[in-house]
């Protein structure tokens, strides 16, 4: 099999290719996390820059790109299923270019060509910006070999493109893009992860930490706000480790800088606080090891920052946390959260949890339930352990908890988390909360959906003219998954 490989530094889109792409359409399908959604938007922007149109459907696209996830086996299987569905489309339309990008592409690489022979492009997590060039070169290679190929399949195999290198810093410049989002926007501030959690594939598929310069992030945030965004979610695998890879700052850096004098997430929040028109700053996802007093003070002092932190505990058993290589004990987690709540008393927390991790006993599971109740997490995501190839847990620990036990613990933990969340949400009933209005409800006409300053979902009656604004809402009811309210005095409206 002959593969055309393109190094990132030589594969940037050629502006002269725009005229050749006129009238061509690309459709991007996204699986997985918010960072994947952001990367898909960036890929679409690069296609537009190269003269392509973005299509909302598969049927009229000249190229289809799947942005994939590898965090769990189920996410990969969904991607494989969708990719397989396109085999028939490729048979009917041989000129269709099919690309696979993102985490699964980075993890399995050339295996995609072996398992799905109709795929033309495989691009890793730091090649979204190269996709238009990769697709165009596949088309050019097909044209160059078309007359001499014995078959369409042989021609396509000769024209394949593989790009998995991870040494490109992937600078982001969206200044000439169309903004295709709405009042809430994603903004990736860093890529990769320097931690080595035993269950996690992210460092393998996303690489080590690479933080974007503060000025670059602020520039993109202003770009988003100028085009209608009013809430910006800062994304990173461990977003509160932002800046840990920076060199020591110069004398003109801000006074909020964090450990070892480097600018960090607290500095970034203070800078974003200054942007006129930006109403909300959100964070996904944090790690207890990087929860600092500087960040806590930034949340306290910046009224645009939501008082909600997704701070995954993963387990309440120190023995299991050690096996997970999480880098903290429950006591350290507790002390970090106590510091946070002393500084920001009304902060709400969310957590991810894994049940059925290798070696987990009933006693370990009970410790997780107890820690859930103790820390009073408002939002919880519960997962059965899923061994991922290439992780240390899969290689060292196996998968020794029976699947039926995993399912039963998953069910019990979901029920426990609902009880804790309901109690936490109920604390807001009868209070007035500042709410950012995100959208119109799809199920009930005349219903608006938003989030309180504590990051909790709330629904209430109102018109679409309120989307993208802030107003005070009186909370009248709670469930384990959200709040219901009614607008308070209308003179509290903020645009």
């Amino acid at each position: 099999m002959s593969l055309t490989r393109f190094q990132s530094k030589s594969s940037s889109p050629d502006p002269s290719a725009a005229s050749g792409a006129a009238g061509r359409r690309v459709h991007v399908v996204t699986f997985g996390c918010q960072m994947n959604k952001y990367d898909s938007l960036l890929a679409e922007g690069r296609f537009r820059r190269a003269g392509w149109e973005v299509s909302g459907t598969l049927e009229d696209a000249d190229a289809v790109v799947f942005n994939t996830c590898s965090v769990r086996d189920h996410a990969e299987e969904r991607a494989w299923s969708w990719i397989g569905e396109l085999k028939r489309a490729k048979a009917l339309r041989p000129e269709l270019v099919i690309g696979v990008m993102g985490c699964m592409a980075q993890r399995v690489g050339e295996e995609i060509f072996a398992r799905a022979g109709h795929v033309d492009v495989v691009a890793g997590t730091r090649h979204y910006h190269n996709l238009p060039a990769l697709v165009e070169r596949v088309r050019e290679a097909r044209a160059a070999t078309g007359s001499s190929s014995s078959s369409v399949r042989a021609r396509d195999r000769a024209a394949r493109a593989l790009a998995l290198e991870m040494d490109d810093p992937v600078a982001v410049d969206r200044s000439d893009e169309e903004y295709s989002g709405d009042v809430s926007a994603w903004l990736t501030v860093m890529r990769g992860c320097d931690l080595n959690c035993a269950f996690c594939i992210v460092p393998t598929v996303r690489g080590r930490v690479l933080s974007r310069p503060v000025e670059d992030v602020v520039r993109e945030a202003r770009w988003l706000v100028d085009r209608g965004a009013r809430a910006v979610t800062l994304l990173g695998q461990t977003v509160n480790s932002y800046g840990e890879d920076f060199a020591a700052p110069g004398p003109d850096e801000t006074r909020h800088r964090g450990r070892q004098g480097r600018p960090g997430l607290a500095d970034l929040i203070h800078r974003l606080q200054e942007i006129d028109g930006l109403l909300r700053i959100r964070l996904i996802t944090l790690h207890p090891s990087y929860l600092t007093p500087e960040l806590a003070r930034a949340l306290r002092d910046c009224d645009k920052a939501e008082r909600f932190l997704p701070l995954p505990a993963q387990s309440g058993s120190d023995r299991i946390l050690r096996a997970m290589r999480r880098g903290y004990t429950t006591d350290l987690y507790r002390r970090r959260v106590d510091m946070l709540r002393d500084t920001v008393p009304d902060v709400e927390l969310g957590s991810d949890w894994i049940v059925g991790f290798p070696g987990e006993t009933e006693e370990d599971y009970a410790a997780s339930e107890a820690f859930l109740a103790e820390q009073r997490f408002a939002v919880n995501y519960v997962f059965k352990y899923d061994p991922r190839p290439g992780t240390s847990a899969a290689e060292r620990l196996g998968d020794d908890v029976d699947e039926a036990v995993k399912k039963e613990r998953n069910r019990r933990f979901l029920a426990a988390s609902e009880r804790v969340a309901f109690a936490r949400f109920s604390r807001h009933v009868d209070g007035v909360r500042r709410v950012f209005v995100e959208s119109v409800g799809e199920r009930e006409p005349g219903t608006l959906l938003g989030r309180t300053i504590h990051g909790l979902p709330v629904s209430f009656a109102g018109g679409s003219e309120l989307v993208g604004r802030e107003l005070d809402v009186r909370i009248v009811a709670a469930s384990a998954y959200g709040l219901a309210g009614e607008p308070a005095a209308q003179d509290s409206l903020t645009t």
Side-chain angles (χ1 to χ4, degrees), residues 303-352:
D303 62 0
K304 296 180 181 180
E306 283 190 350
R307 277 78 165 140
F308 176 82
L309 294 185
L311 192 68
Q314 301 295 2
S315 174
S317 163
D318 287 339
R319 192 179 70 85
I320 295 299
L321 288 173
R322 186 165 53 253
M324 288 179 170
R325 296 183 174 176
R326 286 292 286 170
Y328 56 85
T329 62
T330 52
D331 182 63
L332 177 60
Y333 188 106
R334 186 179 295 113
R335 285 187 280 117
R336 294 286 169 87
V337 169
D338 286 347
M339 175 274 297
L340 173 65
R341 285 174 168 155
D342 285 343
T343 307
V344 192
D346 63 336
V347 71
E348 296 287 0
L349 298 180
S351 181
D352 292 354

Side-chain angles (χ1 to χ4, degrees), residues 1-250:
M1 179 172 60
S2 174
L3 295 177
T4 304
R5 296 175 184 264
F6 303 115
Q7 301 293 330
S8 53
K9 59 185 177 184
S10 64
S11 300
S12 56
D14 181 357
S16 65
S19 59
R24 305 207 190 286
R25 297 166 69 86
V26 62
H27 179 68
V28 180
V29 180
T30 307
F31 301 88
C33 67
Q34 296 90 340
M35 190 171 287
N36 273 16
K37 295 174 184 177
Y38 174 82
D39 285 351
S40 291
L41 291 174
L42 295 183
E44 289 176 350
R46 294 309 182 273
F47 273 105
R48 288 191 177 101
R49 184 179 295 179
W52 291 65
E53 298 177 24
V54 175
S55 171
T57 64
L58 295 165
E59 287 72 22
D60 62 355
D62 300 285
V64 178
V65 178
F66 291 89
N67 191 358
T68 58
C69 174
S70 261
V71 171
R72 301 196 175 277
D73 182 66
H74 177 66
E76 286 196 2
E77 287 305 316
R78 285 185 61 220
W80 283 119
S81 177
W82 276 69
I83 293 166
E85 289 294 321
L86 281 188
K87 186 174 183 179
R88 180 166 49 182
K90 186 68 169 282
L92 296 173
R93 299 165 52 203
E95 299 310 309
L96 179 67
V97 177
I98 300 173
V100 179
M101 65 178 283
C103 293
M104 187 180 86
Q106 190 73 52
R107 190 182 78 80
V108 303
E110 295 184 45
E111 181 185 332
I112 293 175
F113 293 132
R115 185 167 169 179
H118 53 290
V119 171
D120 305 293
V121 176
V122 174
T125 54
R126 296 193 180 180
H127 286 275
Y128 70 84
H129 58 313
N130 291 330
L131 280 165
L134 295 171
V135 170
E136 289 295 348
R137 293 188 188 193
V138 165
R139 296 173 63 86
E140 291 169 5
R142 283 180 179 178
T145 61
S147 59
S148 60
S149 294
S150 59
S151 68
V152 169
R153 175 172 290 185
R155 178 203 67 176
D156 289 354
R157 282 200 298 267
R160 286 172 174 167
L162 179 71
L164 300 176
E165 301 78 19
M166 299 185 72
D167 55 352
D168 195 319
V170 194
V172 176
D173 176 13
R174 305 180 72 182
S175 58
D176 62 346
E177 286 185 25
E178 297 176 24
Y179 176 57
S180 55
D182 55 18
V183 297
S184 299
W186 312 113
L187 203 173
T188 293
V189 302
M190 59 183 292
R191 292 178 180 272
C193 182
D194 284 346
L195 301 176
N196 294 288
C197 299
F199 53 81
C200 187
I201 195 67
V202 166
T204 300
V205 297
R206 287 278 183 178
R208 312 315 292 180
V209 164
L210 185 64
S211 300
R212 294 176 58 188
V214 172
E215 293 303 327
D216 283 2
V217 176
V218 172
R219 186 181 305 113
E220 184 173 348
R222 286 201 177 104
W223 180 87
L224 291 165
V225 172
D226 288 345
R227 285 154 181 78
R230 294 294 175 262
V232 172
T233 301
L234 308 184
L235 301 176
Q237 264 75 34
T238 52
V239 72
N240 54 332
S241 71
Y242 171 82
E244 290 288 313
D245 56 318
F246 287 156

Side-chain angles (χ1 to χ4, degrees), residues 378-431:
V379 178
N380 295 276
Y381 296 98
V382 186
F383 304 95
K384 295 188 285 93
Y385 173 68
D386 178 18
R388 306 302 297 129
T391 62
S392 64
E395 294 171 356
R396 295 183 303 109
L397 304 177
D399 186 16
D400 61 355
V401 179
D402 185 86
E403 185 65 22
V405 174
K406 288 184 186 179
K407 290 181 178 179
E408 192 266 345
R409 288 178 184 169
N410 189 78
R411 179 191 60 76
R412 287 162 55 196
F413 205 92
L414 283 171
S417 68
E418 286 182 351
R419 293 191 295 270
V420 171
F422 176 68
R424 197 68 188 175
F425 276 62
S426 296
R427 296 173 64 253
H428 296 271
V429 174
D430 295 331

